[in-house]
Amino acid sequence: MSPLAGRVVLVTGGGSGLGRETCLALAAAGAAVGVGDVRVEQAERVAGEARALGGQALPLELDVRDDGSAQRAWSLLEGEAGPIDGHVNNAGVDVTNPADELTLAEWDAVVAVNLRGPFVLARLALPRLRALGGGDIVNVVSTAAKRAWPNAAAYHASKWGLLGLSHALHTEARPHGVRVTAVIAGGMRTPFLLDRFPDLDPGVLQEPRAVADAILFALGQPAGTVVPELTVLPLRETSWP
């Protein structure tokens, strides 16, 4: 039996790309999945795909920037499937502009989703997971948290910040049996990259399912074991040494 059978996991940004693959993989492994996304129609589509695999899935309209939205989504999933014992912070956005052309509104939008959002959800999750006696938070980071390239100042700042937040939460949560993992993902064949960079060679990217499997690996660790940081790269990764 899968170690994830019977788990209840909320995934943010679950309506496409890595979020979709993670939701489908969790459902196939026997977990009940909350497909959270600000685009509710995409959450509904992915939830339908997950149910077609035989899993339990609930679409949730979720704006990770908003505490009220997060609380409503959490309550809806718990009411449907029972106590949530796993959470995946996956939602992310980017704006490709030189730093001196990046508007304050663009900066705020990227940081709000990529860094504030995970904190909003972690702040909600931690006391509930402690009350359960344990559980998991997985933060989807990026190689953008390890090095930098031009025209992505807000994205780098948010992902470096998320990696720091993840490790800080790890130190606070582990005495209470709550595991926090940062999954550092290299480039994936998802709309997040391919729609914005049509000249990008898909051959240097990896399938999002590979990263979803890494997320499930972290969630499925035996009791008493935590993976604080996990890096998953395509063999031809161009954003890594």
Side-chain angles (χ1 to χ4, degrees):
M1 180 178 292
S2 165
L4 296 172
R7 298 283 301 272
V8 181
V9 183
L10 173 61
V11 180
T12 70
S16 65
L18 174 60
R20 170 182 175 272
E21 291 294 337
T22 301
C23 289
L24 297 182
L26 284 166
V33 186
V35 185
D37 205 291
V38 71
R39 304 153 300 182
V40 67
E41 69 284 351
Q42 292 190 229
E44 290 170 345
R45 175 178 53 79
V46 173
E49 292 179 274
R51 288 192 291 265
L53 295 173
Q56 183 180 1
L58 181 68
L60 300 164
E61 185 173 8
L62 173 55
D63 182 346
V64 298
R65 303 166 298 181
D66 182 75
D67 183 57
S69 177
Q71 292 195 41
R72 286 190 295 273
W74 194 281
S75 296
L76 284 169
L77 180 57
E78 283 200 326
E80 179 79 16
I84 298 168
D85 57 10
H87 169 58
V88 180
N89 278 314
N90 167 73
V93 298
D94 189 14
V95 174
T96 304
N97 267 335
D100 59 350
E101 297 179 15
L102 193 69
T103 69
L104 291 176
E106 289 170 334
W107 172 278
D108 289 344
V110 172
V111 173
V113 173
N114 295 0
L115 186 53
R116 174 186 167 90
F119 179 69
V120 167
L121 269 298
R123 183 172 173 271
L124 179 66
L126 282 170
R128 290 161 173 80
L129 296 178
R130 284 200 303 266
L132 289 176
D136 291 273
I137 297 173
V138 176
N139 295 310
V140 177
V141 192
S142 166
T143 53
K146 293 288 190 175
R147 57 156 295 183
W149 49 85
N151 304 324
Y155 189 70
H156 284 297
S158 66
K159 291 299 186 178
W160 283 68
L162 180 56
L163 181 57
L165 173 63
S166 190
H167 284 300
L169 295 176
H170 162 71
T171 65
E172 293 186 23
R174 64 190 300 195
H176 305 284
V178 179
R179 308 184 297 194
V180 181
T181 300
V183 173
I184 299 174
M188 292 173 279
R189 298 185 189 106
T190 66
F192 184 78
L193 285 179
L194 296 176
D195 284 358
R196 294 186 299 128
F197 305 106
D199 295 330
L200 185 61
D201 178 7
V204 304
L205 306 175
Q206 61 188 332
E207 290 297 333
R209 180 56 191 259
V211 180
D213 286 343
I215 292 170
L216 267 64
F217 171 78
L219 290 169
Q221 289 299 298
T225 298
V226 59
V227 181
E229 183 177 314
L230 176 62
T231 302
V232 190
L233 303 176
L235 284 175
R236 295 176 61 193
E237 175 65 76
T238 58
S239 64
W240 194 260

